[in-house]
Amino acid sequence: MAGSSWLPRWFFQLASPRWCYDITGKLLPGFFVAAILLVVAGVVWALAFAPPDYQQGNSFRIMYLHVPSAILAQSCYMLMAVAGAVGLIWKIKVADMVAYACAPIGASIAVMALATGAIWGKPTWGSWWVWDARLTSMLILLFLYMGVMALYAAMDNESMAAKAASVLSLVGLVNIPIIKYSVEWWNTLHQPATFTLTEKPAMPIEMWLPLLVMVIGFYCFFSVSLMLRLRNEIIRRERRSGWVRELIASK
Amino acid sequence: MQFETMSEFITMDGHGLYVWLSYGIGVSIIVGNLVLPLFKRKELMKSLARRLRRENNTQ
């Protein structure tokens, strides 16, 4: 592999569990501080300072959790599928570990998006749940995460489990554009996208800014959680190697 | 600040239950995703240290 120069060096460094463990150890504190600051500031801003919606009143404050969690649940799925594909193609163990670490985080974030959506739906639509295209495809995303987790749990052989889970997550990738375009392809109760970076936002700036803070905060939180889980998994799988033994002995 | 009094902030014009329930769920999922891996790490390090000591004793 060293002969193929079209891939940059960091790509192969990423393949080294030890290098990954060290670099995530350096990145963690910064991301942790950023995540705490942004999420706390975003929550306070969303709850107390953002102006109420002229139609929905204060229930619209749920949006500041609902939209970032829905965005993150889909990004996390894409990362899981891409990491799984990298693991399948280049046989990189760290990529398998990233995919493995993504699944439980993504599942819990999908639960957050669905739960906050249901709670928001009750005062807004008068119903906790409707079998609308957006809601149904989001529920399928949660089931895909659960399927991936079940595959990891069911197989004792780690490389076999990683292969099976990667294939499932790659097949399930077709659901991501379905979620994105569901509000355009079908007549849905769900409103179209409220948060875009490329177009002029559909809401006033004092409503949009706290949302931006929350979205960035959620990404920081996700990277912290992912790095914590990844480091655990690196230690667990590399427990027989010299550097992990030294690490444990030094504690 | 959009609210005059604390009770206004809590009731949110009748939407208080929905808003606070959502934020309760959201915050607990975020905190859980940070605390659980930290607990798991502690446990993992303990069990690996025990295994290492056992191996050293038998040698």
Side-chain angles (χ1 to χ4, degrees):
Chain A
M1 285 302 271
S4 52
S5 54
W6 56 278
L7 284 169
R9 205 179 66 149
W10 58 262
F11 188 81
F12 294 103
Q13 284 180 324
L14 274 178
S16 150
R18 184 179 187 174
W19 188 85
C20 271
Y21 186 87
D22 290 341
I23 194 81
T24 49
K26 283 185 193 126
L27 291 173
L28 256 176
F31 274 93
F32 187 76
V33 172
I36 297 286
L37 285 180
L38 288 169
V39 171
V40 169
V43 165
V44 172
W45 197 345
L47 280 175
F49 295 98
D53 187 74
Y54 76 100
Q55 278 179 323
Q56 301 181 15
N58 285 313
S59 69
F60 110 102
R61 294 180 196 282
I62 297 171
M63 176 193 74
Y64 294 108
L65 284 180
H66 180 69
V67 170
S69 59
I71 292 174
L72 184 59
Q74 294 170 71
S75 306
C76 177
Y77 192 89
M78 287 192 269
L79 176 62
M80 182 174 79
V82 168
V86 169
L88 272 183
I89 297 165
W90 285 287
K91 308 268 178 278
I92 293 175
K93 270 194 289 180
V94 175
D96 288 341
M97 295 186 217
V98 170
Y100 173 81
C102 277
I105 310 172
S108 64
I109 300 298
V111 167
M112 198 203 289
L114 288 167
T116 53
I119 297 169
W120 193 8
K122 185 62 187 166
T124 314
W125 302 337
S127 162
W128 297 99
W129 183 266
V130 284
W131 291 101
D132 160 292
R134 175 57 78 79
L135 278 68
T136 309
S137 53
M138 203 61 197
L139 188 65
I140 291 172
L141 185 77
L142 174 62
F143 290 159
L144 283 167
Y145 275 127
M146 287 174 160
V148 168
M149 286 166 75
L151 279 177
Y152 280 117
M155 292 192 193
D156 284 331
N157 183 324
E158 273 157 8
S159 63
M160 284 295 289
K163 256 184 215 168
S166 308
V167 171
L168 175 61
S169 45
L170 282 169
V171 172
L173 206 52
V174 73
N175 192 36
I176 295 291
I178 294 179
I179 296 176
K180 182 164 167 50
Y181 294 108
S182 57
V183 286
E184 292 168 28
W185 291 344
W186 293 283
N187 278 322
T188 61
L189 200 52
H190 196 286
Q191 58 180 320
T194 43
F195 186 78
T196 54
L197 287 173
T198 46
E199 290 163 42
K200 200 176 168 295
M203 60 181 102
I205 193 82
E206 60 268 32
M207 278 185 180
W208 184 81
L209 265 182
L211 187 57
L212 180 69
V213 170
M214 282 298 265
V215 170
I216 300 171
F218 263 57
Y219 275 108
C220 290
F221 145 72
F222 169 67
S223 42
V224 171
S225 187
L226 180 66
M227 284 192 274
L228 288 175
R229 281 181 200 272
L230 176 64
R231 281 158 68 83
N232 285 352
E233 192 58 14
I234 289 174
I235 289 183
R236 196 180 66 78
R237 291 204 201 176
E238 299 291 307
R239 59 188 177 273
R240 290 186 189 87
S241 66
W243 69 273
V244 173
R245 281 164 179 271
E246 276 168 35
L247 183 80
I248 292 161
S250 70
K251 292 252 165 175
Chain B
M1 194 75 180
Q2 295 292 329
F3 302 95
E4 299 282 320
T5 63
M6 197 63 203
S7 68
E8 255 181 73
F9 182 55
I10 288 168
T11 53
M12 296 244 165
D13 296 324
H15 287 141
L17 179 66
Y18 302 114
V19 172
W20 292 110
L21 187 61
S22 295
Y23 277 81
I25 291 171
V27 168
S28 40
I29 286 177
I30 290 177
V31 171
N33 265 313
L34 298 175
V35 169
L36 286 181
L38 286 172
F39 274 130
K40 200 183 165 197
R41 182 187 166 89
K42 230 183 198 173
E43 245 168 61
L44 187 69
M45 290 306 245
K46 232 189 252 172
S47 76
L48 289 179
R50 222 177 302 138
R51 181 202 289 255
L52 199 66
R53 271 199 305 276
R54 223 177 16 241
E55 281 175 20
N56 288 343
N57 288 340
T58 50
Q59 272 166 10

